[in-house]
Amino acid sequence: MTVLAGALASMLLASMAQAATPAQSQAQVTAQTIESTPPVPYDAGVYRLLVPAESQDGRFAVIELVEGPGYQTPWHRHDAMEERYYVAEGTLTLSSAEGTRDYPAGSYVTIPPGAAHAQGNRTAQPVRLLLTITPGGFEQFFIDRAELHKTVQRGDPAFQDEMVKLAMRHGRWLQPAEAPSDAATP
């Protein structure tokens, strides 16, 4: 079993244990390999939707992200969900009220609901992440970003306006946040 497959299995087990429901007599084991899910290009790199929320009754979703060098998000928060990142390869940089830290491969980072943060890749190498979102639903944001990426690219004059419109459509999941006065952005 590869490190990535082992990490995915651990994340899925932790997510399922937290999201378990009493009606487990109807529960069925599901499995899939990363290789069976094609990568989808989007503005930050590529993603694979490994576990769609609808396959888990909305409890969670798992997405593999490969983000390119120099990618960074603006400061934001997610009031209605928790994010958990496993860094499979490369280095994830995360800024929060606690400061800016680099998380190398093997790190596991939890961002609770409402925590203002910005994340990115300030290295010269891609970062490969496994992202678990609880509850599921926010994966639609990545699907919509991939659709946007087909028509407008990061760096194009219209990109920022189109991303703002897209973020506003996902307002249940994604809210703007101010950086703490002493915080850096990745």
Side-chain angles (χ1 to χ4, degrees):
M1 179 180 290
T2 67
V3 173
L4 188 57
L8 177 59
S10 296
M11 287 178 62
L12 289 174
L13 288 174
S15 296
M16 288 187 272
Q18 181 183 20
T21 62
Q24 293 188 9
S25 63
Q26 302 293 325
Q28 295 181 4
V29 174
T30 60
Q32 95 182 41
T33 64
I34 288 176
E35 293 79 18
S36 69
T37 306
V40 179
Y42 77 116
D43 61 277
V46 297
Y47 78 88
R48 296 177 201 241
L49 181 54
L50 301 176
V51 182
E54 66 263 6
S55 73
Q56 302 300 315
D57 296 324
R59 294 185 310 262
F60 67 94
V62 179
I63 306 165
E64 178 196 42
L65 303 170
V66 179
E67 296 178 344
Y71 173 72
Q72 68 180 38
T73 68
W75 279 83
H76 63 283
R77 65 183 198 281
H78 308 282
D79 291 343
M81 72 174 197
E82 177 178 83
E83 290 180 297
R84 291 182 223 130
Y85 287 95
Y86 176 78
V87 183
E89 297 173 14
T91 302
L92 171 68
T93 300
L94 179 76
S95 295
S96 68
E98 292 79 26
T100 298
R101 291 194 50 201
D102 290 328
Y103 294 95
S107 299
Y108 188 74
V109 179
T110 300
I111 303 171
H117 64 284
Q119 80 260 1
N121 176 7
R122 61 182 179 182
T123 73
Q125 301 299 317
V127 61
R128 181 179 305 272
L129 308 163
L130 290 175
L131 168 61
T132 301
I133 50 178
T134 307
F138 186 61
E139 68 271 21
Q140 187 63 48
F141 181 65
F142 291 94
I143 294 167
D144 292 349
R145 284 173 69 180
E147 285 301 311
L148 177 62
H149 182 69
K150 292 176 183 177
T151 60
V152 63
Q153 308 293 306
R154 187 172 287 279
D156 289 350
F159 179 79
Q160 188 63 33
D161 288 341
E162 293 301 316
M163 274 300 290
V164 168
K165 289 177 195 173
L166 179 62
M168 290 174 65
R169 287 198 311 267
H170 290 277
R172 173 178 180 220
W173 302 110
L174 181 61
Q175 296 79 38
E178 294 293 322
S181 59
D182 59 345
T185 298

